[in-house]
């Protein structure tokens, strides 16, 4: 065999070995990195069929999320209570969730800091509504008042009020919102502390009155009713995917603000689809009037909310919320559209 031919065969063999080694490295190392860069095959998002989750509904139904996600599939699950959604996040069957601020704080605590708040969604939109003959909170002892679920945002608010005002004897019943409406109509309840649209439904459809609007308890009437939380593992692995969802969230919020009539229709059509019942125009109008759509989680209020859970007897000690917020994905999404960053009030640092 000639020297030239021998060299050619050696070169070919070396190239083949290099190619095989390259393929092996791609299979073991480069492929996952490439998949990470491209994003996951699917992102799992949760929200409630409530007006206080209007941005989530609009982002989903108007395809703001899917347009930003590109090839990543959006899988949506609907929940009726915060603890149920928290369990889905902790069990890793959900990646991102719209949820009340109270359960969000509890999720951060239960997860040892591995659930993080990444954006605001809605401020206000919760009221204590009662039978018309109840004209002051001093009349609440001996009355049966409902909240959506144990430890949810409204449950904490009611229990805090009872404790701070020494209203011993108030019976607190945890009921799903539709059951609360039925029970109030039957006279089994004297009132309820509820998010929209249920507080407006009790007033306009069942004859209740607003005894206390939660706005009156907060500076400038602003407090986070709905926020967005994410599994930290998912956020760290797929930051671009979380950014994409939040870009959709920002766009959905802006569209809703500028197109209120259309936003109401999208939300109402979705509520009918999910619950079987559309809201009457007066209830829909009242609900939207009560809320503020905002990407700001109003971070400065969160330490007080953590303390409120202690006052309400839900937890024994206030959660240390340093590190609870990670607004980097939100602020990157805002930066891309030339909008100012949102302040984390120091809660983004351990």
């Amino acid at each position: 065999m000639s020297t030239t031919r021998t060299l050619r065969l050696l070169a070919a063999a070396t190239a083949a070995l290099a190619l095989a080694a390259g393929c092996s490295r791609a299979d073991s190392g480069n492929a996952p990195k490439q998949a990470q860069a491209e994003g996951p095959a699917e992102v799992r998002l949760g929200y409630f069929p409530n007006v206080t989750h209007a941005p989530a509904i609009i982002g989903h139904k108007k395809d703001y999320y899917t347009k930003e996600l590109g090839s990543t599939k959006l899988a949506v699950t609907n929940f009726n209570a915060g603890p149920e959604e928290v369990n889905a996040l902790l069990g890793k069957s959900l990646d991102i969730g719209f949820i009340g601020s109270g359960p969000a704080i509890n999720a951060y605590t239960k997860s040892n800091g591995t659930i993080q708040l990444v954006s605001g969604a809605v401020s206000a939109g919760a009221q204590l509504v009662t039978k018309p003959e109840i004209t002051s909170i001093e009349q609440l002892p001996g009355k049966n008042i409902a909240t959506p679920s144990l430890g949810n945002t409204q449950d904490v608010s009611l229990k805090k009020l009872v404790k701070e005002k020494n209203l011993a004897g108030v019976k607190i019943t945890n009921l799903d919102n539709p059951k609360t409406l039925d029970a109030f109509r039957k006279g089994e309840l004297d009132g309820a502390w509820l998010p929209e649209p249920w507080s407006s439904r009790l007033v306009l459809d069942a004859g209740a009155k607003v005894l206390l609007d939660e706005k009156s308890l907060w500076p400038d009437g602003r407090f986070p009713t709905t926020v967005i939380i994410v599994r930290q593992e998912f956020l760290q692995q797929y930051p671009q995917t979380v950014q994409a969802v939040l870009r959709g969230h920002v766009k959905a919020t802006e569209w809703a603000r500028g197109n209120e009539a259309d936003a109401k229709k999208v939300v109402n059509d979705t509520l009918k689809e999910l619950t079987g019942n559309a809201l009457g125009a007066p209830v829909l109008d009242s609900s939207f009037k009560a809320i503020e759509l905002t990407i700001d989680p109003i971070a400065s209020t969160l330490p007080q909310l953590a303390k409120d859970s202690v006052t309400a007897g839900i937890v024994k000690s206030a959660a240390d919320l340093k590190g609870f917020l990670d607004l980097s994905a939100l602020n990157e999404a805002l930066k891309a559209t030339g909008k100012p960053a949102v302040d984390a009030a120091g809660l983004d640092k351990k």
Side-chain angles (χ1 to χ4, degrees):
M1 183 181 293
S2 69
T3 301
T4 302
R5 186 180 177 191
T6 300
L7 290 171
R8 286 175 180 169
L9 288 172
L10 285 170
T14 301
L17 286 170
L19 178 62
C23 289
S24 176
R25 283 194 299 270
D27 290 343
S28 63
N30 291 342
K33 289 180 182 178
Q34 184 179 5
Q36 273 192 2
E38 293 175 354
E42 179 180 81
V43 57
R44 299 161 298 178
L45 177 78
Y47 65 79
F48 298 5
N50 283 348
V51 171
T52 50
H53 287 234
I57 294 171
I58 292 164
H60 177 205
K61 295 301 182 178
K62 293 286 290 181
D63 293 328
Y64 283 108
Y65 302 138
T66 54
K67 288 174 184 175
E68 296 294 333
L69 284 167
S71 61
T72 297
K73 179 184 175 183
L74 177 70
V76 171
T77 302
N78 297 117
F79 295 89
N80 289 313
E84 179 187 358
E85 187 173 281
V86 169
N87 287 338
L89 284 159
L90 295 177
K92 298 186 179 181
S93 61
L94 194 70
D95 303 312
I96 304 175
F98 285 74
I99 198 167
S101 53
I105 292 170
N106 292 338
Y108 178 69
T109 304
K110 287 179 67 176
S111 70
N112 295 316
T114 62
I115 299 293
Q116 291 190 287
L117 190 156
V118 293
S119 178
V122 170
S123 169
Q127 294 88 26
L128 170 59
V129 299
T130 61
K131 291 178 177 178
E133 56 266 30
I134 299 174
T135 58
S136 71
I137 61 172
E138 285 73 25
Q139 293 174 263
L140 292 180
K143 303 297 190 295
N144 188 4
I145 309 296
T147 64
S149 63
L150 179 65
N152 97 310
T153 308
Q154 289 77 46
D155 190 60
V156 170
S157 297
L158 176 58
K159 287 173 178 174
K160 178 194 176 188
L161 180 76
V162 168
K163 180 71 177 293
E164 289 187 338
K165 301 297 182 181
N166 296 314
L167 303 174
V170 177
K171 180 182 179 183
I172 299 175
T173 302
N174 303 128
L175 282 176
D176 290 343
N177 294 325
K179 292 181 180 178
T180 294
L181 178 62
D182 291 339
F184 186 82
R185 281 173 166 161
K186 294 175 183 177
E188 297 169 357
L189 293 171
D190 298 295
W193 199 312
L194 300 172
E196 294 291 358
W198 296 100
S199 53
S200 287
R201 286 207 66 183
L202 259 69
V203 171
L204 296 171
D205 294 344
K209 62 171 283 185
V210 176
L211 184 66
L212 178 68
D213 190 323
E214 194 165 349
K215 284 181 180 179
S216 66
L217 303 178
W218 293 96
D220 301 320
R222 302 185 79 235
F223 61 97
T225 302
T226 308
V227 296
I228 304 176
I229 56 177
V230 177
R231 289 192 298 112
Q232 187 182 65
E233 180 185 14
F234 187 85
L235 175 60
Q236 292 176 346
Q237 190 173 10
Y238 301 112
Q240 297 298 326
T241 301
V242 177
Q243 281 184 36
V245 171
L246 293 178
R247 284 196 302 272
H249 173 52
V250 171
K251 291 179 179 179
T253 301
E254 290 183 342
W255 178 83
R257 286 172 175 170
N259 300 273
E260 186 173 301
D262 291 335
K264 288 178 181 178
K265 185 178 187 310
V266 171
V267 170
N268 208 18
D269 288 348
T270 304
L271 293 181
K272 183 177 181 181
E273 172 192 335
L274 296 176
T275 68
N277 295 297
L279 301 175
V283 171
L284 192 63
D285 291 343
S286 175
S287 298
F288 265 80
K289 185 178 180 181
I291 65 174
E292 175 196 357
L293 306 188
T294 176
I295 58 172
D296 185 356
I298 319 173
S300 61
T301 66
L302 295 171
Q304 181 60 54
L305 286 166
K307 293 175 184 177
D308 291 348
S309 289
V310 178
T311 304
I314 302 299
V315 296
K316 293 182 179 180
S317 60
D320 180 357
L321 298 183
K322 293 179 181 177
F324 178 34
L325 272 63
D326 186 340
L327 302 183
S328 56
L330 175 63
N331 286 331
E332 281 297 322
L334 291 170
K335 183 179 178 181
T337 56
K339 294 180 177 60
V342 172
D343 181 32
L347 301 181
D348 54 341
K349 300 170 184 176
K350 293 279 188 182

